[in-house]
Every structure is written in structure tokens, then in C-alpha cells.
Amino acid sequence: MSASAPSKITYTSANADMTAFHKSFDEALKAVRAKLGKTHPLYIDGKPVEAKETFAKVSPIDTSLVLARFQKGDAGHADAAVKAARAIQKKWGALPWQERVQTLRKAAHFIRARKFEIAAVVTLEIGKSRLEAMGDTEEAADLIDYYCRQVEEADGYLKPLGKLLPNENTRSVLRPYGVFACIAPFNFPISLSTGMSAAALLGGNAVVYKPSIEAPWTGLLLWECFKAAGIPGGLFNFVTGSGAGLGDALWKHPGVDGVVFTGSKEVGLKVFHEFSARFVKPVLMELGGKNPAYVSETANLDDAASGVMKSAFSLQGQKCSACSRVYVHEKVYDAFVAKLVEKTKAIKIGDPTEKDVYFGPVIHERALKTFLGAAESAQKGGKILLGGERLKGGLFDKGWFAAPTIAALPLDHEIFFRELFAPFLAVGKVKSLDQAIAEANKADYGLTAGIFTAKKEEIEKFFDEVESGVCYANRPTGATTGAWPGVQSFCGWKGSGSTGKGGCGPYYVTQFMREQSRTIME
Ligand code: NAD
């Protein structure tokens, strides 16, 4: 069967003719490279604003490559942005919901129209492979469409309620909270920023958006798409700067009514604990992961090795959903590990802006240090089966390249419980599904989990007992990764999230609104 060109790249796209894709990507990359080195402002109330200082955003692929300079926003900018957002929010919130849906759909259109440019920037900015960067971009547009559909299907969340008296007429309506601070991580810079802010806007809120300091250019492109869609200045403000400086000032601002945050458990917990000082305010958090897979003695080992390899090493292990620990039944342990190592050795490592490169650099020096520290820790009590070192020579000397790493570890090793956010997979030997589930549930996190087995009853048991919001079985395209809007809700349990309702899922948008019942006696 000959492969045909895909109409849309997702994280699980396979067997497609990619000629046209790569041609368009090459052109976009060339155009983006021609724009390197510019200095970009903040956008507050629709106007460009400069700070006292700027910072250089370099590429993790080549740290001598300055992609652009961005403003080091501070507390004063957070204040100005929140005030601008407050000034316009009521007008936006009072519009018929159909108008908000229409405007956001236009934003999805502009993201799709600029998808090669956005994906090229993502590739340079955070070191994602071409396909992953395009998946991120397509997901952004699909998220908007999916959330718009949610509002339509719920008829704008207007619902007649019951009567106690014949002349009593009550409706439930969902109303906006006001101003949301939207704080995004580096690793899915376009989809997560888009999903969080689009849902907040659809709910009638205004947004002050702070992209990761590692992905400000992608964030700026989102701002441009929203602007092109007709989202008025002030409603969506773009501020850049450090987490500790600008980020802290933003969520601590008394004019912020809610926070939507995706990032690490450490930062998330801090915000969660301190945000609601005067009264309880909504804090929507999607946090880290330490995602397990189980390979049973009846598993198709080729599928299992492919699925685990892809989830462990795509985006260099820097997905919240990355498979970072795999529990393998003792009867198939040796055979599975041999296949896993073989598949991992075949990964094409290099400059991810290049066609067919699967594996690029980690995001920054800190990530590389965490990775090297884990390799050192693994030597104590465990054995590194592959990798474990910084890659050196040629292009590797220009950026932050870590080798894809697999370590066989005793089940109580600390690496089974700590999120590394690096290309580091821990492998453990177990005697049964029960033991695998018990080990999986020992970690504080509960984001994604995968199982490979030929037995249906094992799948059901795993789904029923594993403490995880996103579960997969027998998925060679990704043991624990690859969720898509409207296909897999992405809900973090335990230390992986705060609300019990996931992004990409059917209950997401309502979380940005509060209920009001309206009773009229007629
Ligand atoms: P991070 O927590 O370091 O940063 C996330 C965002 O918070 C960034 O914009 C950062 O500038 C900001 N920030 C940092 N300190 C802050 C503070 N004191 N106040 C306000 N903002 C602050 O995370 P990261 O390194 O960008 O991303 C990786 C983490 O995100 C991992 O833990 C990963 O698992 C998690 N993640 C989770 C999901 C999910 O859906 N569950 C998705 C992607 C990433």
C-alpha cells in the first residue's frame, strides 16, 4: 500500500508521504531564519511596551544562535496588564456567547494558516522535531475548535431549572470569573498556551498570558493570531519575563480572579497554596508526571518496545506524559529490554530542524545537569543499559544534547519516583500485574499510564486500579503519550493536576466560569 500525504499531523501520524510536508517546512524555516535577531515588545492593552531590560532567547540546538530578544517584564508590567484586562473584560463577557465562539474560531483559522511558520519557530525555540512541532501546532487549532464545539453543544451553558411554585422561573447560567493569569510551560508552547487561554476567553474572561521564558517567540505568534482574529487589545495581553519575577507578580496581583497554570508540581503547589489568601479563587493546574508502563508476559513485545521507546524519548523525554518508568514481567524482561535497547539505538539524533531527526537537545543547561545527576544516581544500586552521558562532538558541542538513556533499577530506587523531565527511562522487573500497579501507584504523580498485554481482563484491572488520569493499552505509537483534543482527555490526578477535569476533554471550558442561578417570579 503506498503512503499518502497526511492532511493533518498528530503525535501518532505514521506511514505517510512526507515530501510535501518537508518542502513546506524547509520554506518556513528559511523564512523564520531570515527574521532572527529582532527585539520584541510586550503587548499590553494592545500596545507595544518596552521594559528596562531585555533577555536573549537562544536555541537549545545551538546556544550561540540568538533567536530574538524579549522584554524582561516586571511587577509594573503585570499591574498594567491586569488593569487593561479588567477594563475590557466585562464588555467581552457580556457579548452573546456566539460572538466569542466566532472570534475564537477565527484564531484557529490563523493558527492553521501560519502552521508551518509556527512549527518552525517551535523547532528552533525548544528543539522539538519537525513532526512534534507540527503536532503541537495542529493541536492548538484543534483545541480551539473542540472547545468552541463544547460551548455550542451546551447552548452557551444556559439551562432552565425546576420550579417550586407555578409562577417561578429559574435559569442556571455560567458566568466568567473576570481576569485569568495564564502561565505556560516550555514543552508544548503553542498547544498548551492556546488551549488554556482560548478556554478562558470562551468563558468570557480576559487573559494576561505569560509564556515560558524558553518559548516567548511562539507565545508572540499566538498573540498575533488572536489579534488577527479580532481579539481586542487588553483582552489578551502578552507579557514576557522570568517566572520568579514577572510570573510571581502576576498571579499575586489582587486583580487576578483565576490562574490557569501548566508546569511543574513545585511551582504549581506554591501558586495553589498562596493564591487564595482573601477568599477561594479558581486555580486550574496541569502539573508534572512520572508515567509508568507495564509490559505483561503476554504482551506483543515489538509493540511494547516501540510504544515505550517513543513515549520515553520523543521530545527528549520532556513531555509531561513521557514514559519514564517501565515495569516488565520477569518472564519477558530480557527479551523486552533487548528490543527496547535495539529500537532506542536506532533513534536518529541531531539537529531537530532537519528532516527525519527524531531526537534533539534538552531545553537548557539545568535540564542537562538534572539528567547527569540522575545518571550518577542510577549507578548507585542500578545499571545503565544505554546512554547516561552528554553527547559530544560536532553539532552536539553547540547545544544541550543528552543521550537517550535506559537504566535497570531496583524498584525502590529514587529515580522511579522523581520527575526528571529528561530522556531517562527506568526499567524495573516485576512478578505480576498486581505488583506493577502497586509500584505505579507509589509515585506522587498520576498523569498517564500504559499497559501491553494480550489479556482483556488485565487491561480492565489496570485501568480500574492504576491512579492515573490518562490510560492506554497496547499502543505502539506511544505507550503513555499522544493525547488529542476530543480524543483523550488529559487529566492529571494526584500531584499531576488540581481540578479532576482535563484539558482536551469535555468538561474543560466550564471550569473557567462560575454558576449563577436566576429566579424570576412571574
Ligand atoms: P516550570 O514549572 O518551570 O514553569 C512553568 C511556567 O511557570 C513558566 O512559564 C515559568 O516561567 C513559570 N514560573 C516559574 N516559576 C514561577 C513562579 N514562582 N510564579 C509564577 N510562574 C512561575 O515548568 P517548565 O519547565 O516550563 O515545564 C515542565 C513542567 O511542566 C514539567 O513538570 C511537566 O511535567 C509539566 N507539564 C505538565 C503538563 C500537563 O498537562 N500536566 C503539560 C506540560 C508540562
Side-chain angles (χ1 to χ4, degrees):
M1 202 175 72
S2 71
S4 57
S7 59
K8 177 162 73 184
I9 302 288
T10 70
Y11 306 117
T12 50
S13 292
N15 302 326
D17 177 359
M18 302 302 290
T19 317
F21 169 83
H22 285 302
K23 186 168 175 286
S24 300
F25 204 102
D26 283 334
E27 286 163 11
L29 201 55
K30 197 168 156 202
V32 163
R33 283 191 198 276
K35 292 185 199 163
L36 297 189
K38 291 189 176 169
T39 299
H40 299 287
L42 314 169
Y43 285 99
I44 297 174
D45 206 10
K47 297 174 200 80
V49 174
E50 286 181 6
K52 283 195 203 86
E53 287 178 71
T54 60
F55 64 92
K57 169 56 199 163
V58 301
S59 175
I61 306 164
D62 175 352
T63 57
S64 69
L65 190 65
V66 175
L67 301 177
R69 297 196 71 85
F70 287 86
Q71 308 299 314
K72 228 185 232 179
D74 57 26
H77 299 112
D79 182 54
V82 173
K83 284 183 176 144
R86 292 201 80 76
I88 196 166
Q89 183 272 325
K90 286 206 163 51
K91 202 170 155 202
W92 171 252
L95 288 176
W97 60 265
Q98 290 88 343
E99 286 189 35
R100 289 194 291 273
V101 166
Q102 203 179 24
T103 306
L104 266 303
R105 282 231 168 88
K106 281 189 201 150
H109 160 78
F110 284 107
I111 289 172
R112 287 196 182 100
R114 296 178 70 179
K115 69 182 180 183
F116 280 97
E117 177 193 3
I118 296 172
V121 169
V122 168
T123 300
L124 282 168
E125 199 162 50
I126 72 151
K128 248 184 209 205
S129 73
R130 288 183 173 201
L131 289 184
E132 290 278 342
M134 185 53 81
D136 194 357
T137 312
E138 296 275 19
E139 185 188 356
D142 275 18
L143 274 168
I144 296 182
D145 284 347
Y146 179 56
Y147 293 156
C148 286
R149 253 193 348 264
Q150 254 169 53
V151 178
E152 281 172 339
E153 281 166 10
D155 201 15
Y157 303 102
L158 307 173
K159 210 174 162 49
L161 297 180
K163 292 177 194 284
L164 288 177
L165 296 167
N167 63 336
E168 189 182 49
N169 190 345
T170 306
R171 281 179 313 151
S172 160
V173 293
L174 292 187
R175 310 272 314 276
Y177 280 99
V179 173
F180 264 83
C182 172
I183 301 177
F186 77 85
N187 64 336
F188 283 84
I190 186 70
S191 57
L192 291 171
S193 300
T194 305
M196 291 192 286
S197 51
L201 290 166
L202 275 171
N205 304 282
V207 172
V208 180
Y209 162 57
K210 191 197 89 57
S212 163
I213 202 158
E214 298 298 338
W217 194 356
T218 310
L220 178 60
L221 294 180
L222 174 61
W223 180 85
E224 288 176 6
C225 290
F226 278 168
K227 181 169 187 273
I231 289 185
L235 197 64
F236 182 73
N237 300 276
F238 168 76
V239 290
T240 52
S242 73
L246 175 69
D248 245 7
L250 179 55
W251 64 263
K252 285 183 179 168
H253 195 290
V256 168
D257 301 294
V259 174
V260 57
F261 172 91
T262 306
S264 61
K265 178 157 81 73
E266 289 65 34
V267 177
L269 276 181
K270 177 182 157 65
V271 177
F272 189 89
H273 286 308
E274 294 177 31
F275 182 55
S276 292
R278 269 179 60 215
F279 47 83
V280 176
K281 300 198 263 186
V283 191
L284 279 56
M285 307 224 142
E286 295 297 336
L287 306 174
K290 188 74 194 176
N291 310 293
Y294 171 58
V295 180
S296 87
E297 76 272 36
T298 60
N300 175 323
L301 296 187
D302 282 313
D303 284 356
S306 290
V308 170
M309 183 279 281
K310 285 181 181 156
S311 288
F313 300 118
S314 54
L315 186 53
Q316 297 78 259
Q318 301 169 114
K319 291 186 178 179
C320 45
S321 55
C323 179
S324 50
R325 46 194 180 128
V326 57
Y327 299 104
V328 189
H329 194 282
E330 57 188 4
K331 285 191 188 150
V332 293
Y333 183 89
D334 290 340
F336 169 77
V337 169
K339 281 180 193 286
L340 177 67
V341 168
E342 185 193 314
K343 283 184 194 291
T344 307
K345 276 186 181 160
I347 287 176
K348 185 158 179 196
I349 306 174
D351 175 345
T353 64
E354 284 176 15
K355 189 178 149 175
D356 300 332
V357 168
Y358 186 77
F359 186 98
V362 294
I363 190 69
H364 42 41
E365 190 176 13
R366 237 177 328 119
L368 190 63
K369 282 193 175 145
T370 304
F371 166 85
L372 292 172
E376 209 179 310
S377 169
Q379 315 273 14
K380 296 177 198 132
K383 188 173 170 209
I384 292 186
L385 305 175
L386 187 71
E389 74 282 323
R390 180 177 187 171
L391 293 169
K392 298 215 172 94
L395 75 97
F396 295 142
D397 293 339
K398 296 183 176 171
W400 308 120
F401 288 87
T405 297
I406 301 171
L409 301 174
L411 295 176
D412 61 352
H413 199 287
E414 62 95 16
I415 287 181
F416 274 114
F417 308 99
R418 178 160 62 100
E419 184 183 46
L420 300 171
F421 226 54
F424 201 110
L425 175 67
V427 188
K429 195 185 281 185
V430 292
K431 291 181 189 308
S432 65
L433 172 62
D434 281 314
Q435 190 185 10
I437 294 172
E439 291 302 325
N441 290 346
K442 278 182 190 168
D444 282 346
Y445 296 97
L447 189 51
T448 67
I451 180 171
F452 292 86
T453 175
K455 293 186 179 164
K456 278 206 175 103
E457 61 277 17
E458 283 202 332
I459 296 176
E460 286 310 313
K461 184 180 168 67
F462 185 78
F463 285 1
D464 285 347
E465 295 182 17
V466 77
E467 292 165 358
S468 171
V470 193
C471 302
Y472 301 99
N474 298 328
R475 198 147 163 278
T477 51
T480 61
T481 49
W484 200 259
V487 182
Q488 284 93 11
S489 309
F490 204 69
C491 176
W493 290 16
K494 294 160 72 181
S496 298
S498 72
T499 70
K501 308 283 182 298
C504 292
Y507 313 111
Y508 190 63
V509 176
T510 58
Q511 301 181 104
F512 292 86
M513 291 173 270
R514 50 190 170 180
E515 190 177 7
Q516 184 177 53
S517 72
R518 300 178 160 192
T519 299
I520 302 172
M521 304 309 290
E522 288 167 341

